[in-house]
Amino acid sequence: MKKALITGITGQDGSYLAELLLAKGYEVYGIIRRSSSFNTARIDQIYEDPHLPEARLRLVYGDLNDASSLNKVLRRVQPDEIYNLGAQSHVRVSFDIPEYTSEVTGLGTLRLLEAVRETGLRPRFYQASSSEMFGKVQEIPQRETTPFYPRSPYGVAKLYAHWMTVNYREAYGMFACNGILFNHESPRRGETFVSRKITKSAARIKLGLQHELFLGNLDAKRDWGFAGDYVEAMWMMLQADRPDDYVVATGETHSVRELLDVAFGVLDLDWTQYVKIDPRYYRPTEVDLLIGDASKAARDLGWRPTMSFHDLIRTMVRADMDAEQQRLTGVQAKAELCTSGEIKGLW
């Protein structure tokens, strides 16, 4: 039984990857930071799914800011594969906390690579690189050979981690791969990211729970894919005969306006009646256009995306509608209980 170690297991990608690996028979370990409250909502369903044996999923404490904890985890787990998905991953927020972003997203990768080297283990290593490294794009579409030009602290930190992974591969013969993933979404996407912010707000507006949505640059264009497809590409990279770097993308680009059209259109709403522009959401340096060429991944790995942009956004909207309706039903039920004579008697 193969053992995999995932940083960022409680995030969108980490949860999908954990499910994929468990379904393939792996023993999965996930690094989580110590906190006063649990942040495991995205992986809780694994413990409820009869087809995914929860006994093969173990969470261990560690932190990309703490090299000693990483060394301890590696010695304890001795993984066959490592997937480094942990990061401060919000681009706009990286302008507000550039030092922390650099520590976790950039130096955190170095600490993990160095821990692998120091322990003498020979796991296959996956680094989550980002299309944000292309930034002010030098070529359309962007491929593995396109020059990088990051336009945010997040993009710069990811570029550092990317080149450090290449360096450790070449200097120490590590099986280390970079997946240059373009934007990928799902119903598990964080609520502060623009795609999920839009789909969740559309659902809440439809239900009368929200009346406005504040956004920044509506003309920014991105290559949006499904996160479930993209974690499959991560796994494929580590099954290849030799380590390499791959762009993972759909090859299509859509603006935020188009995303609004689809999301609000699912619910028969006109987004122009609800969306307001807030300058606070503009980036100091904007990335106007990202579109990836994943032909190398298709040729060498056999990977291709399975979900279209429109199906992805519709799926997210419907999931948010279901979640908001369930939440609303729960609130109403509690209100009815609190006003009943039976509950009043308990007080």
Side-chain angles (χ1 to χ4, degrees):
M1 184 184 297
K2 283 187 177 181
K3 288 189 286 187
L5 177 67
I6 304 173
T7 70
I9 193 171
T10 58
Q12 169 189 252
D13 293 5
S15 66
Y16 279 110
L17 180 61
E19 289 175 354
L20 174 72
L21 295 177
L22 287 169
K24 290 182 178 296
Y26 280 67
E27 188 175 346
V28 177
Y29 290 79
I31 293 181
I32 59 171
R33 289 173 294 172
R34 179 69 180 92
S35 173
S36 59
S37 60
F38 285 108
N39 181 30
T40 58
R42 292 186 181 96
I43 57 174
D44 286 344
Q45 78 282 351
I46 291 176
Y47 296 93
E48 302 167 2
D49 190 335
H51 301 102
L52 297 176
E54 71 277 4
R56 288 195 275 108
L57 173 62
R58 296 178 175 84
L59 302 180
V60 293
Y61 287 119
D63 197 315
L64 289 171
N65 269 344
D66 179 9
S68 64
S69 72
L70 298 177
N71 274 271
K72 289 178 182 176
V73 168
L74 287 182
R75 288 191 170 92
R76 172 185 169 187
V77 175
Q78 298 192 12
D80 300 291
E81 297 172 3
I82 297 175
Y83 297 86
N84 184 32
L85 313 183
Q88 190 302 101
S89 58
H90 199 286
V91 178
R92 179 61 189 85
V93 171
S94 76
F95 286 97
D96 300 322
I97 49 172
E99 183 178 347
Y100 177 76
T101 300
S102 300
E103 277 285 346
V104 177
T105 308
L107 287 174
T109 302
L110 170 61
R111 294 185 184 101
L112 189 53
L113 286 165
E114 186 63 6
V116 172
R117 189 186 70 82
E118 287 182 351
T119 57
L121 300 173
R122 303 295 293 177
R124 296 192 169 198
F125 183 92
Y126 171 84
Q127 167 59 22
S129 287
S130 168
S131 60
E132 286 289 331
M133 300 187 308
F134 294 119
K136 189 176 181 179
V137 298
Q138 305 298 292
E139 180 182 29
I140 299 174
Q142 294 87 56
R143 49 182 62 89
E144 292 82 5
T145 55
T146 301
F148 297 117
Y149 196 143
R151 298 266 282 175
S152 67
Y154 170 77
V156 173
K158 278 291 186 182
L159 185 55
Y160 175 90
H162 176 94
W163 281 118
M164 196 58 72
T165 301
V166 172
N167 184 256
Y168 270 66
R169 179 172 71 212
E170 296 178 352
Y172 305 114
M174 288 186 183
F175 194 107
C177 301
N178 284 297
I180 309 174
L181 271 58
F182 281 64
N183 292 64
H184 45 289
E185 322 297 321
S186 76
R188 301 179 195 174
R189 186 60 143 155
E191 295 175 7
T192 59
F193 290 85
V194 67
S195 60
R196 183 74 192 291
K197 185 177 179 180
I198 289 172
T199 61
K200 182 180 176 68
S201 295
R204 289 178 58 81
I205 289 171
K206 183 69 174 180
L207 295 171
L209 302 174
Q210 184 175 325
H211 306 290
E212 294 178 318
L213 168 60
F214 293 93
L215 296 172
N217 182 10
L218 303 187
D219 297 316
K221 294 183 176 181
R222 295 292 185 269
D223 185 327
W224 276 297
F226 173 49
D229 288 339
Y230 286 34
V231 299
E232 184 91 26
M234 299 176 189
W235 176 79
M236 286 179 169
M237 290 180 208
L238 297 198
Q239 312 315 307
D241 293 333
R242 62 182 183 86
D244 208 342
D245 306 325
Y246 298 90
V247 162
V248 180
T250 69
E252 297 181 7
T253 189
H254 301 273
S255 69
V256 176
R257 291 180 190 275
E258 291 177 77
L259 201 159
L260 285 164
D261 284 337
V262 177
F264 278 74
V266 172
L267 303 176
D268 296 319
L269 295 173
D270 179 2
W271 65 265
T272 61
Q273 297 181 21
Y274 307 100
V275 173
K276 304 290 177 62
I277 302 301
D278 189 334
R280 292 180 301 171
Y281 294 115
Y282 281 98
R283 302 179 186 177
T285 46
E286 184 57 79
V287 174
D288 298 315
L289 167 68
L290 292 174
I291 178 171
D293 176 2
S295 57
K296 179 179 176 182
R299 181 185 69 245
D300 294 358
L301 305 177
W303 179 86
R304 288 174 179 80
T306 65
M307 187 177 291
S308 71
F309 169 75
H310 290 79
D311 286 344
L312 170 62
I313 303 306
R314 291 189 193 107
T315 299
M316 293 173 66
V317 171
R318 290 174 185 133
D320 278 322
M321 273 295 290
D322 289 344
E324 292 298 326
Q325 285 175 326
Q326 289 176 10
R327 189 175 295 115
L328 187 59
T329 300
V331 169
Q332 290 171 342
K334 288 180 181 177
E336 291 173 3
L337 282 173
C338 289
T339 56
S340 69
E342 180 182 355
I343 296 298
K344 283 183 178 178
L346 294 175
W347 296 103

